[in-house]
């Protein structure tokens, strides 16, 4: 399953329009490349052609494999690490090991999205590392996150293996 970013000017139709005039809505989606279908009681959907969705998936797979290949080379890894603040300005609040951890997790998540259709992993990696950066950026939050727990022993944690 490919996740596609909708352009700001993407046209939309209501779900009712789709159910009443499926042929004309499908033709419009094919002509435009994609069409947002709004639904009052459910999340919006995107109607697109299979070819466009397959191209988006192929693009993601290609980019993912390229970035993973770059990470295997010292110069490529250095370039990716240097480029990261351009894409995610908040990484300046992460320490060196955290930036490397974020980069690796992001690239693995992109690979999972491309190879397995697990696009949620990319979103989860970005959101969780951005939250870490937000805490690091606020001295009060950072101090609070680093303070020892007041004797709260929650017991042993078992990790399924």
């Amino acid at each position: 399953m490919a996740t596609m970013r909708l352009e700001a000017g993407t046209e939309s139709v209501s779900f009712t329009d789709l159910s009443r005039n499926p042929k004309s809505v499908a033709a419009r989606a094919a002509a435009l490349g994609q069409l947002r279908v709004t639904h009052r009681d459910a999340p919006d959907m995107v109607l697109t052609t299979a070819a466009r969705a397959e191209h988006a998936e192929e693009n993601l797979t290609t980019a993912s494999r390229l970035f993973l290949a770059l990470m295997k080379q010292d110069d490529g890894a250095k370039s990716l690490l240097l480029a990261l603040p351009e894409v995610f300005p908040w990484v300046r609040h992460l320490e060196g090991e955290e930036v490397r951890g974020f980069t690796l997790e992001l690239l693995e998540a992109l690979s999972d999205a491309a190879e397995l259709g697990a696009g949620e992993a990319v979103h989860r990696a970005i959101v969780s590392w951005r939250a870490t950066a937000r805490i690091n950026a606020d001295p009060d939050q950072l101090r609070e996150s680093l303070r020892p727990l007041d004797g709260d022993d929650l017991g042993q944690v078992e990790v399924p293996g």
Side-chain angles (χ1 to χ4, degrees):
M1 178 178 133
T3 303
M4 298 184 317
R5 184 176 157 268
L6 297 178
E7 291 86 27
T10 298
E11 289 191 34
S12 64
V13 297
S14 70
F15 189 78
T16 303
D17 291 338
L18 175 61
S19 63
R20 289 184 181 159
N21 306 305
K23 286 184 182 180
S24 67
V25 169
R28 188 166 163 205
L32 294 171
Q34 64 187 17
L35 187 62
R36 180 183 292 266
V37 179
T38 60
H39 195 289
R40 184 178 23 217
D41 301 322
D44 291 357
M45 297 181 291
V46 176
L47 186 60
T48 189
T49 63
R52 184 178 174 119
E54 289 163 1
H55 291 154
E57 210 169 297
E58 181 182 13
N59 293 345
L60 177 61
T61 300
T62 301
S64 168
R65 289 177 180 172
L66 179 63
F67 288 136
L68 285 172
L70 283 171
M71 279 299 286
K72 293 178 182 175
Q73 302 173 11
D74 287 340
D75 288 344
K78 184 178 178 182
S79 294
L80 286 173
L81 289 170
L82 290 173
L84 217 55
E86 291 283 324
V87 180
F88 303 104
W90 45 262
V91 300
R92 71 181 180 279
H93 297 290
L94 299 176
E95 300 203 6
E97 280 305 310
E98 291 174 322
V99 173
R100 283 186 279 288
F102 169 57
T103 304
L104 184 58
E105 187 175 333
L106 178 63
L107 293 179
E108 288 173 346
L110 285 168
S111 176
D112 289 347
E115 305 293 339
L116 305 172
E120 313 80 38
V122 176
H123 177 73
R124 192 170 41 253
I126 293 169
V127 167
S128 63
W129 280 103
R130 185 173 45 221
T132 300
R134 187 176 297 123
I135 290 169
N136 287 351
D138 182 330
D140 293 334
Q141 283 188 2
L142 181 58
R143 191 172 30 263
E144 178 66 19
S145 72
L146 295 174
R147 78 169 174 77
L149 297 176
D150 296 328
D152 293 338
D153 185 355
L154 302 175
Q156 186 174 354
V157 175
E158 290 191 29
V159 179

